[in-house]
Amino acid sequence: MIKVENLSKVFVHKPIFEKYHIEFSAPKVCLEAPNGLGKSTLFSIIAGLDRAYAGIVHYDGERLKTPQDKVALASDNIKFPAFLTAKQLLTMTQQSWQCPFPEQLIELLGFSSFLDTTFSALSSGNQKKLQLINALMRQTPYLILDEPSAALDHQSTLHLIEYLEDYQGQILISCHEPKPFFDMGFVPQPLFSS
């Protein structure tokens, strides 16, 4: 369970969150809100990638010094070096986090023939697949997928959903077409309660 308390975050004098509270208690949650209201920002804070905020994030009642040890995030906001190949990027993740090379995920998402392609030469759909594989391979207790089905073909989306069904850990997603995720048990939760 992830609990955010008293969160305040400002972008260029514009408050995104002010004394904001939210709790994610379901194992699979789909965060709902229109674009531009702070879903990606909240995900970056929870994942430990954005430290410029006030407030507290609890992970099963704990405060973590380095949340990225237990939280993996797949997001367009994470910039990969454009000149590295997909295989080089995944190998760096494998070595940094001491996890197995993600052969099964690569096969599942039909990514094998793109391993030797530089990140900048990948299509938006294949960049999304690489983001997902890079996060999923770590098998962290908390997994955050920001718009996981954006730019993915229908078949890859179905394979991803099947894979997530057995994921051991809490999963938070945001998604503009959430029905397939709701069908497999994701619980809708608004970013801001009315």
Side-chain angles (χ1 to χ4, degrees):
M1 178 184 73
I2 293 174
K3 186 176 184 179
V4 177
E5 294 184 305
N6 216 24
L7 175 64
S8 294
K9 170 73 179 173
V10 177
F11 274 131
V12 194
H13 308 296
K14 180 186 174 203
I16 304 297
F17 298 105
E18 280 189 272
K19 297 185 180 178
Y20 175 76
H21 299 271
I22 194 165
E23 190 171 311
F24 302 107
S25 52
K28 294 178 172 73
V29 177
C30 179
L31 188 62
E32 297 183 311
N35 283 342
L37 291 184
K39 296 185 301 291
S40 296
T41 300
L42 180 62
F43 284 168
S44 290
I45 289 169
I46 292 170
L49 302 180
D50 183 343
R51 299 290 190 144
Y53 68 90
I56 300 170
V57 182
H58 293 280
Y59 309 81
D60 285 330
E62 269 187 88
R63 290 178 74 175
L64 301 175
K65 270 190 163 182
T66 53
Q68 54 271 40
D69 290 344
K70 292 194 176 188
V71 183
L73 171 65
S75 171
D76 291 340
N77 291 339
I78 297 175
K79 302 300 176 205
F80 290 111
F83 58 91
L84 292 178
T85 66
K87 187 172 186 177
Q88 289 171 322
L89 290 164
L90 294 173
T91 300
M92 285 174 58
T93 298
Q94 175 194 19
Q95 292 171 349
S96 296
W97 297 103
Q98 299 297 299
C99 54
F101 195 77
E103 304 284 354
Q104 177 196 3
L105 287 164
I106 290 166
E107 187 69 32
L108 183 76
L109 293 176
F111 194 72
S112 301
S113 57
F114 302 99
L115 287 173
D116 293 323
T117 307
T118 60
F119 184 77
S120 62
L122 292 171
S123 67
S124 58
N126 282 321
Q127 286 183 357
K128 179 60 74 175
K129 287 179 184 182
L130 181 58
Q131 291 170 8
L132 292 166
I133 294 166
N134 192 65
L136 289 164
M137 70 188 279
R138 293 181 48 213
Q139 292 291 310
T140 53
Y142 305 98
L143 176 65
I144 302 176
L145 307 177
D146 194 2
E147 298 293 338
S149 57
L152 280 192
D153 58 272
H154 181 70
Q155 198 62 36
S156 295
T157 301
L158 293 179
H159 287 312
L160 173 65
I161 289 169
E162 287 170 21
Y163 182 85
L164 294 177
E165 205 160 0
D166 296 323
Y167 191 84
Q168 299 298 306
Q170 186 175 37
I171 307 170
L172 307 180
I173 68 166
S174 62
C175 189
H176 288 300
E177 294 178 15
K179 186 180 179 331
F181 293 94
F182 291 161
D183 290 348
M184 64 135 325
F186 275 81
V187 175
Q189 184 165 348
L191 179 64
F192 296 103
S193 44
S194 44

